[in-house]
Amino acid sequence: MELVNGVLRWRFRYDALLARLLSKPLRKKDYDLQLVLLIALHELNELSTPDYAIVHEAASQAQRLGKKWATGLINGVLRSYLRDREQLASSIDEDPVARFAHPQWLIDRLQQDWPEQFDQVLRANNQRPPLWLRVNLSKISVDDYLQQLGSHQMTAVRHSHALAALRLDTPMDVGQIPGFVDGLVSVQDAAAQMAAQLLAPKNDERVLDLCAAPGGKTCHLLELAGTIELMAVELNPIRMQQVQQNIERLNLQAQLIVADATDTQSWWDGRSFDRILVDAPCSASGVIRRHPDIKSLRQAGDLVELTEIQQQILQQAWCMLKPGGTLVYATCSVLKMENEQQIESLLRSNVDVEEVMIDPNWGVACRYGRQLLPGTEDSDGFYYALLKKMERRH
Ligand SMILES: C[S@@+](CC[C@H](N)C(=O)[O-])C[C@H]1O[C@@H](n2cnc3c(N)ncnc32)[C@H](O)[C@@H]1O
């Protein structure tokens, strides 16, 4: 995982290094050799394996790939890197793509949206992510769970605003986390935990969770208020199985509906909701440190389609909300077109939208809603808007 995630995280930088180190680019059919070199560069930069062992192992891959002729090439490239690494690093740093290890379009957008914070965001995206837990407050208090951790010689820190969040000081496999199997805790970033906390469901209310998989927020809503009537809608049937598994592990209950959130005719019975969570599909530009493949897979053009879907889902959700009801719109994006601009569009087409101010002690205020930037208190990047539907006047 370290090699795969590490190469994906730093690929734009390592590509730039290779471009300097190779006298001519490798042929398309030798992409496997390019990957061997990228992995070796990552090991040389970030891991403690001795340099000679990394070079030897990489060179011996040539034979394993049936390309013995490339043994000398791999050896030569990696040895030149080791000889000139400082000078090479400073020469590629002139190009922001190599310096920040992000695609140019994303650097441009972040700079446009966050002129003062963009380099801090880019650096946070290149960190290895921590492991955050959500304590199941319907079963155990955070203090009592901290004690349980202590009895296993494990330590964790709280988040200043996500009330159930604990960051483990030493990440580990979920199976080894005390109480995980019994549903005392789940794995969820502190920023993601703010969404259900902001929606603040009350027992016996009718609640809708749109775009629910893998179900982190579905379960959190039920942990906050066990007797809500919860309907969770998700388009992808395979991802919905994860919601089912999470609900079973935590022994919770919800009505799970595999459907397109925008096609309300196919699944909605016409009864409106007290509270709605819209956790919209997005660029995921706030969670790049957890999913570094986003840097390579996401393209600027994707945003057009995504922002259209976001507006459709948000508008449909608004129609299903009771007058006096509350809606949280959340994304794990830091791009304004997916966030405050979506709320602006909703306000433009509906006269009954009232923005509720979110506690100004955390995150960054946007024109509408609040943004947590990645790395703030070691959390992911997330956006939230809290909206109330005005009561009808007679
Ligand atoms: C950001 S993820 C949701 C994360 C989830 N709320 C959680 O806390 O675990 C967005 C989800 O929206 C789903 N989705 C995308 N388009 C959708 C649509 N039109 N209707 C319903 N779900 C959709 C995706 O399959 C994806 O699972």
Side-chain angles (χ1 to χ4, degrees), residues 211-217 234-236 239 259-261 279-281 313:
C211 308
K217 299 182 191 76
E234 165 60 44
L235 182 63
N236 183 326
R239 283 173 64 81
D260 183 337
D279 192 18
I313 296 178

Side-chain angles (χ1 to χ4, degrees), residues 22-60:
L22 290 162
S23 51
K24 57 179 183 356
L26 291 164
R27 293 167 302 180
K28 256 202 178 128
K29 63 178 183 175
D30 293 325
Y31 190 62
D32 46 4
L33 299 175
Q34 173 110 357
L35 294 178
V36 167
L37 287 166
L38 291 175
I39 291 169
L41 284 178
H42 180 64
E43 292 182 278
L44 291 172
N45 271 285
E46 298 276 325
L47 305 187
S48 56
T49 318
D51 291 351
Y52 72 86
I54 295 168
V55 176
H56 175 77
E57 177 60 25
S60 64

Side-chain angles (χ1 to χ4, degrees), residues 188 209-218 233-236 239 259-262 277 279-282 309 313 332:
Q188 188 181 39
D209 175 13
L210 285 182
C211 308
K217 299 182 191 76
T218 317
V233 179
E234 165 60 44
L235 182 63
N236 183 326
R239 283 173 64 81
D260 183 337
T262 60
L277 174 62
D279 192 18
C282 69
I309 295 169
I313 296 178
C332 55

Side-chain angles (χ1 to χ4, degrees), residues 171-328:
M172 60 183 57
D173 196 64
V174 285
Q176 292 176 291
I177 297 173
F180 179 82
V181 180
D182 307 321
L184 292 191
V185 284
S186 302
V187 172
Q188 188 181 39
D189 191 88
Q193 297 184 37
M194 293 303 293
Q197 190 176 309
L198 277 175
L199 192 65
K202 306 277 176 300
N203 273 330
D204 305 325
E205 285 181 336
R206 201 170 138 74
V207 181
L208 177 62
D209 175 13
L210 285 182
C211 308
K217 299 182 191 76
T218 317
C219 295
H220 193 192
L221 290 167
L222 288 160
E223 288 171 6
L224 290 174
T227 63
I228 54 173
E229 188 191 333
L230 181 61
M231 202 182 255
V233 179
E234 165 60 44
L235 182 63
N236 183 326
I238 295 171
R239 283 173 64 81
M240 189 58 124
Q241 287 170 11
Q242 293 175 279
V243 185
Q244 181 69 41
Q245 285 160 9
N246 279 322
I247 283 205
E248 278 171 16
R249 179 178 62 86
L250 294 162
N251 199 15
L252 300 167
Q253 276 203 324
Q255 188 186 350
L256 305 186
I257 299 170
V258 176
D260 183 337
T262 60
D263 180 22
T264 51
Q265 291 220 326
S266 71
W267 58 270
W268 185 44
D269 62 8
R271 286 194 299 141
S272 49
F273 295 90
D274 299 292
R275 291 177 205 260
I276 300 180
L277 174 62
V278 178
D279 192 18
C282 69
S283 63
S285 54
V287 292
I288 286 175
R289 59 184 195 157
R290 288 193 191 282
H291 305 285
D293 53 335
I294 292 168
K295 291 180 183 182
S296 300
L297 297 178
R298 191 61 80 203
Q299 304 293 324
D302 299 344
L303 288 167
V304 178
E305 199 184 328
L306 277 170
T307 49
E308 272 168 25
I309 295 169
Q310 287 158 357
Q311 192 53 219
Q312 281 176 31
I313 296 178
L314 180 56
Q315 182 58 57
Q316 290 295 341
W318 194 252
C319 297
M320 293 184 279
L321 187 66
K322 267 185 198 165
T326 303
L327 183 146
V328 166

